[in-house]
Amino acid sequence: SQEFFVESCDDENKSHTGRFFVRRLRHLQHICQTFEGRLSKNANIIDVSRSLLQNLHPTPAVCGDSPIDALDFIRQFETKASFDRGYYTGPIGYIGTDSTDIFVAIRSALITNYNNDFVDEKNVVVKRPQSKVSIFAGAGIVKGSTVQGEWTETSHKLGVMSSIFPPSPVTLQIASIPNVAWSTAFIEELVRCGVTQFYICPGSRNTPLTAAIYKSTRSNTGVVRAISVHDERGAGFRALGYSRQNGRPAAIVTSSGTAVANLYPSVVESSSDGVPLLVITADRPYENRDNGSNQSVDQVKIFSSTYVRWFRDIPPPSDDVPVSLALSDANHAVTLANQLAGPVHLNVQFRENLAPDQGPIRNDNRIGSVTKFHTLRFTDVPGFARWSQSGSRWQRAFYPGKNVNHSIIEVAELILQSRRGIIVAGNLRLSNNDANEADSLTSIISHFATVAGMPILAGVQSGALRRERPVIPFAEHLLKHPSISKGLRPDFILQLGSPLISTEISKMITNAVMHNVQTSHVLVQRLYPYERADPEFTVTHRVSSNIGDFLKSLTSYIESLGQQATMKCSELTPLLHLGRELQKEMPSIIEETSRAVNSQTVEKTPNDSILTEPEIMSAISDVLSELSSEKLRGGSLFLSNSMPVRDGEFFLYPRQVTENDQTAHMQTSLSGFPLSVNVNRGASGIDGIISTAIGCGDTFTPTTLVCGDVSALHDLNGLYGLTSDLPSLSNAQSKLHSRVPLTTIIVNNGGGAIFSFLPIAKHGQDVGFEEFWGTPTKSISFRKGADAFGLPYRYASSFESFREAYRSSLLSGRPEIIEARVIDRSKNVDIHQRITSTAIQFVTKLVSETSSDECDLSLNTRINLPIKRYTNENISKGSNRSKTLLLIHGWMGDKSEWDLVGAELVKNLPHEWDIISIDLPGHGEAPYILSPIQQMMRTALSLNSFHENADFCSSGKFSIDAMAKAVCNSLQNDYGIKSLDAIAGYSLGGRIALAMNRLCLTNTDMNAPQQDNDNKLITKQTRLILLGANPGKLPFDDHTVKTESDNQRVRKDRLLAQSLLSSLYKTYLIPIGSDLSYLSKFVAKWYGNNLWGDLQERYPHKFKNMINRRIMSLSERRHEIASVLYECSPPLNPIDDWKKVTPAKTLYIAGSLDKKYSFIGRLWEKSGGVNKYVEINDAGHALLVEQPREISSALVGFLKDARIANTLGTSKEISDEDANVVNDVKTDDKEKLDPAPR
């Protein structure tokens, strides 16, 4: 391009090459050089620019030292492969007549839009638009280039740009062997937890870790650093220095053998001075330990527990051990290093192949010794999809003194964002297990559940919590029902305490986290320092805190957010209905099932027992629910492991108090129900059970122990603790001691009944089941055992005798033994299975009532809608009425809304008019489409819901068209009305009238109307009177596309509908009638909108009456009214019904204070779209309430107007000139066009 520049000896004007300089960036440096020159007179900026582009592009920096070869390569390989590099290496800028500015896109991002379609629970394909960002960078290939060098350069170039985008999912699908997959996931989690500094000591056994760390430095350029240190001792102290300086742990990575021992001094220093440190040592697998294998020393707890905060010996990576274990280990290690301020040691066993090589296993010549790894099996665990896609750490941990207060806000946000939240209660770990604390914590949890709007699944260990109103009774049985287990789908789980005994609840949590990446599982528990309490690896947030203190703070925070937060309620609360119904039936289910099994016994003797193990828990529930003596208040129950704790989980619920009883009354009447239920569930053994129970009763708290015969034999000598002859006690103390009120119930089933539930039982005597698992105890006499210790003894072999024995023992206030002889344990499995089956059948009946073929308006199912006729008593019954006027009310109203207007119409219209008003579906006295319970149960079981991605074209049971068809069908089929001469529709009723007009005139999907115009319900002669009704999108609105305002309107209507349903759900959690205050505020806020023109101030009495009517309507039918609100949202329904009206036959009425609809009326009249617009002075949107006489006068005048009797006319499109009227409207008036009332 030299011909464009001046050739001059003048240095000032001569073209010249500038000096080299370095431009420093965050992750790399550029060597730059400038070229400058003065253009000649004949030079043209455009020509110069084109020439420079041709000669300088592509530059060697992005293609290589031979641009021609580079371009040929690109054309040959990228084009054929349909490779889209976006603007990478492309010139970006402008060329002007006097200046040019051009850049080369050496780093660029290409955004590709696509639909990530998925099939929802109704097998409907939902289109979910998503975007993918591809980031491009590269390095020019020049002489001396190496693959490694160019890759490193490219990684640095990508670092800055890629850091601003969410990371790509970590799928591990390209991992060839287990060592690679495990190490990649493990190191990635360490980095997410803030460990970004690695000190690596050379070695072979730690090869998988080293390779994974190096790859992490490339994908996290400038964030993750890896430093090679040849000496382990020095590496330890260097990592210690980094951790001390930065206040977060660095990681040391070593090979196996003596390399590990060299870390001891730095570990001691880290521990002694409270510096967080992560020690990761590679080790040989267990088959190479203690057998003389090379470079193998005992690395298990090689550093004394005095110095190490936590040690973990990690087995060799395999798809038998899921990835969740690796992620949880990494997360827990970093959490403890920070929380406990000291070193954590992770000892990782690795098998060959250590290098990422597939195929034959190194140094293993056995048959079949090749690498085997199933990546999908390795990652098919709850939570992995969330971890893979989110870029967040595996688990968020909050602990005292650090960030536990931050958890309040985070957990509250999760609750408010959820739709299907649920609380799970396990072992609550009372710090002072007395009546006052237990009662207080129970009240705190119950109050929180009510405020947060979530039901509770309460394990038996939660004790008195099971008597609280928010608890779902017999949840274990409900969760066994396939429809419930499939449809539950919680998106937020708050677990209070651990462990959980119920396998069904654990399964529910696992499935929820597994199938929904958005599900959060929050665990709140007073954890001891090293406790993880996450056996299924599903916990996303762990809060180490006193449960009561945490919930009180969380409740206060939610309450501070106002009524919108406190009235929010989970869609799962209707499960309380199923639980309460099952609670009524469960005693009879247990009794009848036990009787049926007993009746099948072929040979019976008078001494045979007819008592079953489930009946024992049923009787205990009866007695504890009935007794309200102060003597028993604060009592405790101790359940042995094996069958008693499982039966307690299944069957130990208080007997139901009537639905109308208040919570306070419920607590009083159930004061005998145990405030605490204790179980030795730490290691779940059956030894020491009696002694532990005696310890619980040593505070002279009335205590009941339920244990099996085998458990009793394990600790039979513990009964000596109940005797009064202990040598260390004085006589006075001995008498006091002998009154320890422990009732010991020994469930004697003749051996180990729990083993009959295991798979080994079906192998019977082939494996010696009866001898080695059944462990018979028939030769033991517990009566003699009680006599040996001088303890009172009772025997029971039937439900009635056991219940009486237990009642008497509790009231005696002394230690007693009750031997509950139950039927043969071989029948125990059958009894439990039958009870479960019967319970499922009962629940199926309830569920089927909510999922059967209800009346579906969208399918033209007939529904008899009530009508009201307005008549003049002075007119004889035989008078001929040849004309019919239909009056249709608005949203939340009913047919009586027209009473005041109807009375005036009767006085002023000719006697030939038959004036009727009708209840719309979901309103007034119209039959239920869905009962409240049906509606809520369908939502709880995911059979219907207000989804975020609701299709704009959907039409449900309460759409405008569905209700219009229902009205037409009912008028013709139920009341014999052949034609309508006029329809007056207020607000929503006006939209229904427009839809009726369209459907009848076009014969769209209507059953009743015929093709013959003379037989149509509505013809072009039918007059339409629209009162404050939305006619659809008039031409001055752009209805060719769905605007953002449409989306906002649908979201707004959906949220309002959800808030109404939430208030209905809330009734399951609060005493009946307590929700009226919310309904009052909802209605007052609705009618406080500007649309109503300060109705409360102008007509306070009318306003009050209207509010009361609306509250009554909502309290009775809010579930359907909420559905109408959502289904009738204008963007979800036809937008051009105005086109089908006959202008000469159409009257539009609005109040002068109703800015929105008065504006529409004026514009519509000006354009000729309606015959006349009438504006009612001093009236807002509540036309029927405010000015009934004026409304009647307008209707009478229009209906009597003979000039329009035979006028047809056609609908008129609004001209551009008419549409320009919109531009003359003030901005605030335009804004008022957005919200449309029903």
Side-chain angles (χ1 to χ4, degrees), residues 759-1059:
I760 192 64
K762 67 176 179 285
H763 295 278
Q765 287 308 109
D766 286 347
V767 294
F769 176 79
E770 182 63 17
E771 180 179 0
F772 296 105
W773 283 272
T775 55
T777 61
K778 293 182 179 179
S779 62
I780 300 298
S781 171
F782 289 105
R783 178 190 296 273
K784 294 180 179 179
D787 291 342
F789 295 105
L791 296 173
Y793 169 87
R794 298 174 188 265
Y795 178 86
S797 59
S798 67
F799 177 79
E800 293 77 12
S801 62
F802 173 76
R803 182 170 56 184
E804 183 56 35
Y806 181 51
R807 178 197 296 271
S808 300
S809 178
L810 284 181
L811 294 176
S812 71
R814 63 180 183 177
E816 290 191 358
I817 294 176
I818 301 175
E819 180 182 355
R821 185 70 188 185
V822 297
I823 64 174
D824 191 88
R825 55 186 159 82
S826 62
K827 301 176 182 177
N828 194 37
V829 176
D830 185 33
I831 291 172
H832 281 78
Q833 290 177 344
R834 289 193 185 198
I835 290 174
T836 298
S837 177
T838 306
I840 289 177
Q841 290 175 17
F842 175 77
V843 175
T844 297
K845 183 180 179 182
L846 295 177
V847 171
S848 64
E849 291 174 359
T850 71
S851 58
S852 58
D853 295 330
E854 304 98 356
C855 178
D856 189 345
L857 297 184
S858 63
L859 300 178
N860 293 314
T861 304
R862 282 184 52 190
I863 175 174
N864 189 332
L865 299 174
I867 66 170
K868 183 174 186 177
R869 276 192 162 89
Y870 298 93
T871 60
N872 191 326
E873 295 180 357
N874 296 323
I875 301 175
S876 62
K877 293 183 179 181
S879 299
N880 181 28
R881 299 191 177 196
S882 58
K883 295 183 178 181
T884 303
L885 166 62
L886 175 66
L887 308 175
I888 310 177
H889 62 80
W891 184 61
M892 286 197 290
D894 57 54
K895 58 184 179 298
S896 65
E897 299 291 310
W898 284 93
D899 283 357
L900 296 177
V901 175
E904 294 294 325
L905 291 174
V906 168
K907 296 177 185 177
N908 297 292
L909 278 178
H911 298 162
E912 62 182 346
W913 282 95
D914 183 17
I915 306 169
I916 61 174
S917 62
I918 191 169
D919 278 332
L920 289 174
H923 294 76
E925 298 175 327
Y928 280 126
I929 306 303
L930 285 177
S931 70
I933 291 176
Q934 287 174 332
Q935 170 71 44
M936 292 187 293
M937 287 309 307
R938 290 182 65 88
T939 301
L941 300 180
S942 302
L943 297 175
N944 63 352
S945 184
F946 298 124
H947 292 295
E948 182 69 28
N949 296 318
D951 186 352
F952 275 132
C953 299
S954 66
S955 178
K957 294 175 172 28
F958 295 101
S959 68
I960 293 292
D961 279 11
M963 290 198 290
K965 295 172 190 176
V967 172
C968 290
N969 287 332
S970 184
L971 291 175
Q972 290 185 306
N973 297 312
D974 299 320
Y975 302 104
I977 297 176
K978 296 181 180 180
S979 65
L980 292 175
D981 297 275
I983 308 175
Y986 163 68
S987 197
L988 172 64
R991 295 174 62 197
I992 302 293
L994 285 168
M996 292 169 61
N997 178 72
R998 167 176 50 82
L999 292 170
C1000 285
L1001 294 181
T1002 58
N1003 290 302
T1004 302
D1005 194 24
M1006 296 294 293
N1007 289 339
Q1010 306 297 319
Q1011 293 295 328
D1012 184 358
N1013 285 339
D1014 292 336
N1015 294 325
K1016 283 188 175 181
L1017 184 68
I1018 298 174
T1019 68
K1020 289 191 176 182
Q1021 295 295 336
T1022 303
R1023 304 189 189 194
L1024 292 180
I1025 302 106
L1026 307 175
L1027 294 82
N1030 184 356
K1033 290 222 170 189
L1034 296 173
F1036 56 76
D1037 287 327
D1038 181 12
H1039 59 270
T1040 58
V1041 294
K1042 289 288 189 291
T1043 64
E1044 180 57 28
S1045 62
D1046 287 337
N1047 298 334
Q1048 291 174 353
R1049 175 58 187 271
V1050 173
R1051 283 195 292 268
K1052 177 182 176 182
D1053 288 340
R1054 183 181 59 249
L1055 290 174
L1056 283 173
Q1058 285 176 335
S1059 71

Side-chain angles (χ1 to χ4, degrees), residues 431-720:
S431 57
N432 181 19
N433 202 0
D434 61 17
N436 291 331
E437 186 189 3
D439 215 355
S440 174
L441 182 57
T442 295
S443 299
I444 291 171
I445 296 174
S446 180
H447 178 60
F448 166 76
T450 302
V451 171
M454 292 188 289
I456 303 173
L457 300 176
V460 69
Q461 297 175 93
S462 63
L465 184 61
R466 282 193 163 188
R467 72 186 186 192
E468 295 297 315
R469 186 175 179 83
V471 171
I472 301 173
F474 295 96
E476 178 83 14
H477 298 275
L478 293 180
L479 292 174
K480 288 179 181 291
H481 193 283
S483 294
I484 296 176
S485 60
K486 179 182 178 181
L488 200 61
R489 299 177 183 173
D491 56 8
F492 175 82
I493 301 160
L494 179 63
Q495 181 181 337
L496 306 176
S498 69
L500 302 175
I501 294 174
S502 169
T503 56
E504 295 301 322
I505 294 177
S506 297
K507 190 187 303 180
M508 177 270 295
I509 295 174
T510 300
N511 289 337
V513 177
M514 184 80 175
H515 297 115
N516 184 359
V517 296
Q518 303 299 326
T519 296
S520 299
H521 178 195
V522 179
L523 170 65
V524 181
Q525 180 166 303
R526 188 165 50 89
L527 300 162
Y528 60 79
Y530 315 111
E531 188 174 17
R532 203 174 335 188
D534 187 16
E536 304 298 330
F537 305 107
T538 55
V539 174
T540 59
H541 299 71
R542 187 175 75 234
V543 181
S544 180
S545 172
N546 178 279
I547 293 175
D549 294 341
F550 178 81
L551 291 185
K552 283 192 287 187
S553 299
L554 184 57
T555 302
S556 298
Y557 179 77
I558 293 176
E559 288 177 329
S560 71
L561 299 177
Q563 189 181 53
Q564 186 174 1
T566 57
M567 283 309 296
K568 187 179 185 301
C569 201
S570 170
E571 292 178 358
L572 299 181
T573 50
L575 292 174
L576 285 162
H577 168 72
L578 289 181
R580 290 168 186 167
E581 292 300 308
L582 183 58
Q583 189 176 22
K584 298 175 185 176
E585 295 296 319
M586 188 55 77
S588 60
I589 291 176
I590 294 173
E591 178 185 357
E592 291 170 8
T593 303
S594 299
R595 187 184 305 148
V597 172
N598 276 310
S599 66
Q600 295 176 354
T601 302
V602 179
E603 296 182 2
K604 293 184 180 180
T605 67
N607 295 326
D608 282 346
S609 173
I610 59 173
L611 178 65
T612 65
E613 295 187 42
E615 283 185 314
I616 290 177
M617 286 300 164
S618 183
I620 291 175
S621 296
D622 277 353
V623 173
L624 294 180
S625 298
E626 293 168 5
L627 295 178
S628 58
S629 169
E630 283 299 319
K631 182 185 293 187
L632 296 178
R633 187 167 179 80
S636 68
L637 180 66
F638 194 97
L639 298 176
S640 172
N641 286 305
S642 193
M643 285 306 300
V645 70
R646 288 170 173 80
D647 282 341
E649 188 77 10
F650 296 159
F651 306 115
L652 190 65
Y653 283 89
R655 291 294 174 254
Q656 189 179 49
V657 181
T658 57
E659 184 69 20
N660 292 327
D661 283 338
Q662 302 294 317
T663 302
H665 174 65
M666 184 184 296
Q667 289 179 339
T668 300
S669 62
L670 298 178
S671 60
F673 201 79
L675 282 172
S676 63
V677 176
N678 297 298
V679 188
N680 279 353
R681 207 61 186 170
S684 301
I686 61 170
D687 44 345
I689 296 297
I690 293 176
S691 297
T692 308
I694 293 174
C696 290
D698 276 339
T699 56
F700 305 104
T701 300
T703 303
T704 299
L705 164 64
V706 184
C707 66
D709 46 355
V710 177
S711 298
L713 285 176
H714 272 266
D715 196 26
L716 197 60
N717 63 326
L719 293 174
Y720 182 65

